[in-house]
Amino acid sequence: MAASPSIVPVAVTAAVVPVLSASSDFSNLREIKKQLLLIAGLTRERGLLHSSKWSAELAFSLPALPLAELQPPPPITEEDARDMDAYTLAKAYFDVKEYDRAAHFLHGCNSKKAYFLYMYSRYLSGEKKKDDETVDSLGPLEKGQVKNEALRELRVELSKKHQARELDGFGLYLYGVVLRKLDLVKEAIDVFVEATHVLPLHWGAWLELCNLITDKEMLKFLSLPDTWMKEFFLAHIYTELQLIEEALQKYQNLIDVGFSKSSYIVSQIAVAYHNIRDIDKALSIFNELRKQDPYRIENMDTFSNLLYVRSMKSELSYLAHNLCEIDKYRVETCCVIGNYYSLRSQHEKAALYFQRALKLNPRYLGAWTLMGHEYMEMKNTSAAIQAYRHAIEVNKRDYRAWYGLGQTYEILKMPFYCLYYYRRAHQLRPNDSRMLVALGECYEKLNQLVEAKKCYWRAYAVGDVEKMALVKLAKLHEQLTESEQAAQCYIKYIQDIYSCGEIVEHLEESTAFRYLAQYYFKCKLWDEASTCAQKCCAFNDTREEGKALLRQILQLRNQGETPSTEMPAPFFLPASLSANNTPTRRVSPLNLSSVTP
């Protein structure tokens, strides 16, 4: 699948090759800084502004170089000199987004830099025309209806150059982008791997490769160059694949070797904590990042998601106003404002801002997903489905879009459809209890109760975020008249909520105590039944039942009825259980060996 690591830079000038051949360790940070400054200049000359910015930000985080060590610009070749006038004019047109005009004046140029800008101008011209056609029709738009007409021609021309081995690292990168846009994924991966071998310092090629890798197994089979850039790539792809522990370890290693001042690494760590729902840690890091870089807009939409989850209205309002002052026409700004209106339950306004974000960038993943959520709030299921599908087209690894589709089809009472989408979400987030609980509910509706049991128990085992898995499992056992298992689940549930001290829904707590009171009553364990009945009296919905049960217990005790020794009752609650203490006796694990995955 992948290119051989023996590939050498065939089309980069001799003067540039030694500097761009990145070593595999971080022992010489001065050399790394030189390489970053050089690649920042080379990418800027070719209009690859995001790669240039990434390299410059990383270089800024390293100590300054003395004058004697500053790298001179690469020498101008004979071809560069011939194309200098055309390139200078075309680059000026390119910078003001006149792509067709830039391509016109670069036609016939032979230098590597001018040729890349010529092809890249044609590609961006096609993308701009496609976006202009798409921008007013964000609704029911079928996949592939609007296409970049330049892609096929570009593929033919770049393919010929590739076969003749005339493409440098930048040319290979563009060829890979064209192949990816044409959905030729396998070929695109091979070309991007080759691009990382030829020009390992170009972050854009690594980033494109990230977007095509779907799992860790696929990553193992790639033959990547042994370079320090690979560490940044692995940290990024681990974050994307939800392998958060590995990602955080990689980022910590990068901080330890000297990149502690990198705002990019700090923001990626915050995103990683956001992905594992460690909200407090993520918020703390984002707040620190805002102090270091107050005009930063990247990842601020993720920060706003955290503020939204915590219902921090004033902080979200401040963030929205602040970003508006910096740049109101950035997609991140629009998403932050959309989240602010969503938190205020103004869902029409929120959807409007997410649409505005998509007009600025139709391929912005977060806006599609958030817009889907807003349509769900407005009960517009068809529009929500369309938004989530667009999100998946942009990034098939977005578990939120798969999960959103599952919820939408659940509302539409189409359980087989929602089962498929929940399964996809679970594959992307195997240790997320919300996906497992949703799958369990789906299996329950389809009467596949054994599978439902597996899902609920697994959700509890991985750490139930919403504290609902045990209750659902208990109700399932209750439905199947498996009273002992149901009682054990309810006891585990009560022990968990009391031990963690969380505020829970009274309805489920009261449900657990009501069932246990009745269970112990049937077992003729009066003390335990009385304790649970007294707890029932603390809740409005079970108060009368609790009082009735206490009267029955008192009546039976007065009649001299003794507790039964025949019926097994291996589960007990302490008689001293009160509203403020925690059950002291931990029950043994559930005996679910036949249904536990």
Side-chain angles (χ1 to χ4, degrees):
M1 172 192 267
S4 165
S6 61
I7 294 173
V8 295
V10 293
V12 184
T13 61
V16 177
V17 171
V19 187
L20 295 186
S21 301
S23 63
S24 59
D25 61 64
F26 294 91
S27 57
N28 191 344
L29 287 180
R30 287 190 171 187
E31 193 58 38
I32 288 173
K33 173 134 185 171
K34 289 179 192 176
Q35 294 169 354
L36 285 167
L37 290 172
L38 177 62
I39 196 67
L42 293 174
T43 46
R44 188 169 58 250
E45 286 174 353
R46 288 160 178 81
L48 299 167
L49 302 182
H50 289 288
S51 292
S52 179
K53 184 174 78 167
W54 185 87
S55 303
E57 282 184 347
L58 210 57
F60 181 77
S61 68
L62 296 174
L65 294 172
L67 178 62
E69 292 188 33
L70 287 176
Q71 194 71 27
I76 298 173
T77 64
E78 198 66 45
E79 284 183 334
D80 287 332
R82 281 198 300 270
D83 295 339
M84 182 61 72
D85 289 346
Y87 166 79
T88 305
L89 177 64
K91 183 64 169 63
Y93 292 144
F94 182 94
D95 289 343
V96 293
K97 295 183 170 52
E98 295 184 9
Y99 301 122
D100 288 328
R101 204 173 177 192
H104 172 74
F105 284 98
L106 286 168
H107 185 66
C109 289
N110 296 316
S111 65
K112 299 295 179 188
K113 185 165 65 175
Y115 178 74
F116 174 84
L117 195 63
Y118 167 64
M119 299 299 279
Y120 193 40
S121 296
R122 290 170 62 190
Y123 166 75
L124 288 179
S125 171
E127 285 295 293
K128 187 172 183 295
K129 287 167 185 170
K130 186 186 81 169
D131 290 348
D132 289 345
E133 287 183 45
T134 309
V135 80
D136 295 322
S137 52
L138 291 173
L141 189 70
E142 293 299 320
K143 182 181 178 182
Q145 190 173 329
V146 181
K147 294 180 180 177
N148 181 344
E149 299 296 336
L151 290 176
R152 297 193 182 281
E153 289 178 20
L154 290 171
R155 183 199 170 195
V156 171
E157 292 178 41
L158 288 167
S159 177
K160 288 176 184 175
K161 289 270 188 182
H162 184 237
Q163 287 167 10
R165 299 181 69 76
E166 293 176 5
L167 290 178
D168 62 1
F170 294 112
L172 287 167
Y173 160 75
L174 182 57
Y175 184 35
V177 170
V178 169
L179 291 171
R180 178 179 65 79
K181 286 282 185 179
L182 291 169
D183 292 325
L184 300 168
V185 176
K186 184 183 178 302
E187 294 91 331
I189 290 172
D190 291 343
V191 171
F192 283 131
V193 169
E194 187 180 346
T196 61
H197 280 281
V198 174
L199 193 60
L201 292 172
H202 180 208
W203 178 241
W206 293 101
L207 209 52
E208 286 288 346
L209 196 53
C210 272
N211 294 331
L212 298 177
I213 296 170
T214 54
D215 54 53
K216 198 173 182 179
E217 286 301 311
M218 194 173 175
L219 184 61
K220 286 179 185 175
F221 289 105
L222 294 182
S223 175
L224 299 169
D226 190 17
T227 160
W228 60 265
M229 282 287 286
K230 183 180 175 182
E231 295 304 303
F232 283 92
F233 165 75
L234 288 175
H236 189 91
I237 190 63
Y238 286 155
T239 307
E240 290 291 306
L241 295 175
Q242 306 297 327
L243 303 168
I244 304 302
E245 282 186 24
E246 293 95 323
L248 288 172
Q249 186 57 56
K250 287 284 183 189
Y251 284 126
Q252 189 56 53
N253 293 343
L254 291 170
I255 286 172
D256 293 341
V257 298
F259 290 95
S260 58
K261 293 181 180 177
S262 168
S263 59
Y264 164 76
I265 291 177
V266 173
S267 68
Q268 285 296 104
I269 291 171
V271 169
Y273 279 117
H274 164 268
N275 287 353
I276 55 171
R277 296 181 69 79
D278 190 340
I279 296 171
D280 293 331
K281 187 79 172 173
L283 280 171
S284 171
I285 296 170
F286 269 124
N287 282 320
E288 194 59 39
L289 182 64
R290 291 267 295 161
K291 289 176 188 174
Q292 293 174 15
D293 192 356
Y295 294 96
R296 181 187 180 89
I297 294 182
E298 290 92 342
N299 303 119
M300 287 301 111
D301 51 336
T302 305
F303 183 31
S304 76
N305 291 341
L306 295 165
L307 297 173
Y308 178 92
V309 170
R310 279 279 187 263
S311 298
M312 299 167 76
K313 281 186 182 178
S314 57
E315 289 85 348
L316 187 51
S317 172
Y318 175 77
L319 180 65
H321 281 95
N322 184 240
L323 294 183
C324 242
E325 288 174 5
I326 297 168
D327 188 349
K328 70 192 296 185
Y329 295 113
R330 277 282 289 270
V331 285
E332 294 92 343
T333 303
C334 293
C335 288
V336 171
I337 298 170
N339 272 337
Y340 169 68
Y341 281 121
S342 181
L343 189 57
R344 294 182 59 182
S345 299
Q346 294 178 254
H347 300 297
E348 291 84 359
K349 269 193 174 181
L352 195 66
Y353 273 95
F354 294 134
Q355 284 180 344
R356 183 177 292 181
L358 290 165
K359 286 186 177 183
L360 293 167
N361 183 359
R363 290 174 296 281
Y364 195 72
L365 172 67
W368 282 117
T369 308
L370 291 168
M371 193 161 74
H373 296 343
E374 293 312 306
Y375 283 135
M376 284 282 283
E377 292 288 344
M378 293 188 282
K379 313 295 185 207
N380 188 345
T381 50
S382 60
I385 288 170
Q386 199 61 44
Y388 288 136
R389 287 193 189 282
H390 274 295
I392 289 166
E393 284 174 25
V394 174
N395 185 355
K396 288 184 171 60
R397 291 194 304 262
D398 183 26
Y399 76 93
R400 298 169 304 170
W402 292 107
Y403 184 66
L405 279 170
Q407 288 180 310
T408 311
Y409 282 108
E410 194 172 355
I411 289 169
L412 294 172
K413 300 192 186 326
M414 299 170 75
F416 285 104
Y417 277 83
C418 76
L419 180 63
Y420 169 76
Y421 292 116
Y422 283 145
R423 273 178 178 164
R424 292 297 297 264
H426 170 59
Q427 286 167 6
L428 293 165
R429 298 271 289 190
N431 293 323
D432 193 322
S433 62
R434 295 168 300 165
M435 314 299 151
L436 286 158
V437 168
L439 264 177
E441 290 173 341
C442 211
Y443 280 124
E444 207 173 333
K445 285 171 186 170
L446 294 169
N447 209 32
Q448 297 182 30
L449 302 186
V450 173
E451 296 299 322
K453 281 183 186 178
K454 286 183 185 179
C455 291
Y456 291 143
W457 177 245
R458 175 71 180 157
Y460 172 70
V462 299
D464 186 14
V465 174
E466 295 170 339
K467 305 290 181 198
M468 288 299 297
L470 280 175
V471 174
K472 290 184 179 294
L473 185 58
K475 287 179 178 177
L476 202 54
H477 285 305
E478 199 177 335
Q479 184 184 329
L480 296 168
T481 64
E482 297 168 352
S483 55
E484 288 186 9
Q485 289 92 329
Q488 192 168 2
C489 288
Y490 278 129
I491 290 173
K492 275 183 175 289
Y493 168 69
I494 289 169
Q495 288 175 337
D496 284 350
I497 62 174
Y498 274 71
S499 62
C500 70
E502 284 190 23
I503 299 170
V504 295
E505 288 290 330
H506 289 322
L507 179 63
E508 299 306 339
E509 197 179 345
S510 62
T511 301
F513 279 118
R514 176 171 54 195
Y515 182 84
L516 288 170
Q518 292 168 350
Y519 172 77
Y520 287 127
F521 183 80
K522 286 175 187 173
C523 292
K524 297 186 179 181
L525 295 168
W526 312 131
D527 290 343
E528 289 76 12
S530 179
T531 300
C532 292
Q534 285 171 5
K535 294 294 291 182
C536 288
C537 294
F539 305 102
N540 291 331
D541 58 323
T542 56
R543 183 173 294 127
E544 294 307 317
E545 289 177 69
K547 287 178 180 177
L549 201 58
L550 284 170
R551 283 195 295 270
Q552 282 182 278
I553 293 167
L554 183 62
Q555 186 179 353
L556 288 169
R557 276 177 167 164
N558 290 338
Q559 291 172 2
E561 187 83 27
T562 56
S564 172
T565 56
E566 295 175 10
M567 193 168 183
F571 320 110
F572 297 94
L573 283 174
S576 60
L577 182 67
S578 69
N580 296 318
N581 67 1
T582 303
T584 54
R585 185 180 182 280
R586 299 296 291 180
V587 295
S588 57
L590 274 167
N591 181 19
L592 283 178
S593 55
S594 60
V595 296
T596 304

